[in-house]
Amino acid sequence: MQTEQNTPLVDETEKISFIITYYNIDVDLLRQCVDSIIALSLRPSEREIIIIDDGSEVSPLIDLETYKDNIIYIRQPNQGLSAARNAGIRYSTGRYIQFLDADDHLIQTAYEHCLDIVRYKNPDIVLFQLTNKEHNDVEVAFAGPVEGGEYMRQNNLRASACGYIFRKATLVNLRFRNGILHEDEEFTPQLILRAERLFHTESKAYYYRKRNKSITNNGDLKWRVRRLNDMEQIILHLNETADPLPQGDREALQRRVAQLTMDYIYNIITLTHDGSYLEKCIDRLHDKGLFPLPDRDYTRKYKWFRRLSMTKSGRKVLLLTIPRKGMVS
């Protein structure tokens, strides 16, 4: 772990593009989000705040009049989160990018620590922690640099695209796929694999707000099945992406695929509690070579879950012991 401060390796005037995606959110929360960026120790020339309004019913622009010199506001027809983020990438001019959801905000002292890593260490990516608590102790230690593939072979990922600052050039042609849920699960591992200089810190720098109507809390059964279908497609795509990669990167992405597959099976149980549906999904995974889960020394949860998921009797135990999430008939 490192805590030292050295001579900057990059010009401190390097611009960071903060891309805020907005859709039918309380304008006061959007203001708090923007204020958390303006409060940072960045001169106006060092930051770019881009608000992508993804077709909200009412534009918030009139309520953002006091921010007109600090923001770039872009309104587009409703196309979903992926399209909104891709638009932000397209319009951004900063060397680095930070995504934010409009009802979240940055935690100043902790995020300043991440900015110092950007200023002094010339990273491709800086990973940090998210929290739903406003007040936290600031962890100023960090680790790196490490190649993205090596990091993924040794660590579990936090997929949220709001959980890191990244160099725009690292993207190359990578973008979010339109029209799917859980797009971060597909985007983040591919981005990390592109990184040559990754740093990570336990500093809780981003406040996320629990949303009652978020993807993970939506109670509609059709919506839940769509979530599961999209997750399956992401797993299949990442697995196909891993095949032609160099060995180290292939192993890193295959580790992520195995963990996502475990999460997918777990979510089938919690979201549907339907043994017949579970067995059909297991059969599809088996046909694609993704089941049984590989015997790897990942987490304790993974090893426990793998053992039980191997047989029909074990899967029945999982159905009986894993609580279901509330459902709407």
Side-chain angles (χ1 to χ4, degrees), residues 229-244:
N229 290 340
D230 284 357
M231 195 66 192
E232 182 177 334
Q233 292 305 309
I234 288 170
I235 291 168
L236 294 176
H237 178 245
L238 290 178
N239 191 53
E240 292 172 358
T241 300
D243 284 342

Side-chain angles (χ1 to χ4, degrees), residues 2-206:
Q2 305 177 35
T3 57
E4 77 276 13
Q5 296 290 319
N6 301 317
T7 302
L9 297 177
V10 295
D11 189 340
E12 288 195 18
T13 63
E14 294 286 5
K15 187 188 297 182
I16 299 179
S17 295
F18 296 89
I19 299 173
I20 304 172
T21 50
Y22 176 85
Y23 179 71
N24 290 346
I25 296 295
D26 187 325
V27 175
D28 287 339
L29 297 179
L30 174 60
R31 288 179 175 181
Q32 186 178 10
C33 181
V34 174
D35 285 339
S36 74
I37 300 170
I38 294 175
L40 298 171
S41 61
L42 294 169
R43 295 188 291 271
S45 61
E46 298 174 319
R47 68 168 187 254
E48 177 178 65
I49 304 174
I50 303 173
I51 299 174
I52 305 294
D53 180 354
D54 189 42
S56 292
E57 294 173 6
V58 178
S59 169
L61 188 56
I62 192 171
D63 295 304
L64 298 173
E65 178 66 22
T66 57
Y67 298 97
K68 63 181 180 180
D69 295 330
N70 290 289
I71 65 171
I72 299 168
Y73 174 84
I74 298 166
R75 182 172 171 85
Q76 65 180 27
N78 179 247
Q79 301 173 59
L81 180 58
S82 291
R85 285 176 174 167
N86 288 339
I89 293 170
R90 184 166 63 251
Y91 288 111
S92 65
T93 62
R95 185 174 184 183
Y96 288 91
I97 289 176
Q98 170 71 60
F99 290 115
L100 298 96
D101 292 336
D103 51 348
D104 298 338
H105 59 265
L106 302 176
I107 299 173
Q108 183 175 0
T109 304
Y111 197 83
E112 292 286 358
H113 166 57
C114 301
L115 289 178
D116 281 344
I117 299 174
V118 172
R119 288 166 171 152
Y120 290 89
K121 297 300 179 182
N122 194 29
D124 293 322
I125 297 178
V126 179
L127 298 173
F128 49 80
Q129 295 281 355
L130 287 69
T131 180
N132 60 359
K133 297 180 180 179
E134 286 282 7
H135 303 289
N136 298 280
D137 295 332
V138 178
E139 174 61 63
V140 296
F142 62 91
V146 63
E147 289 186 350
E150 180 180 347
Y151 178 83
M152 286 177 59
R153 290 193 296 272
Q154 303 296 327
N155 297 274
N156 299 329
L157 293 186
R158 304 181 301 274
S160 172
C162 297
Y164 46 80
I165 311 171
F166 67 95
R167 190 192 303 271
K168 183 179 180 179
T170 307
L171 285 169
V172 190
N173 61 347
L174 178 64
R175 296 296 185 272
F176 292 91
R177 180 150 55 114
N178 290 339
I180 63 168
L181 305 175
H182 299 289
E183 58 282 313
D184 293 8
E185 294 286 8
E186 184 174 69
F187 178 87
T188 295
Q190 294 183 85
L191 177 66
I192 289 179
L193 279 181
R194 288 163 162 78
E196 296 181 0
R197 291 178 58 81
L198 181 149
F199 292 81
H200 53 102
T201 173
E202 295 301 307
S203 189
K204 297 178 178 64
Y206 184 99

Side-chain angles (χ1 to χ4, degrees), residues 308-322:
L308 283 176
S309 70
M310 290 283 287
T311 64
K312 284 189 176 182
S313 60
R315 293 192 288 273
K316 288 181 180 178
V317 171
L318 291 173
L319 283 164
L320 289 171
T321 57
I322 296 176

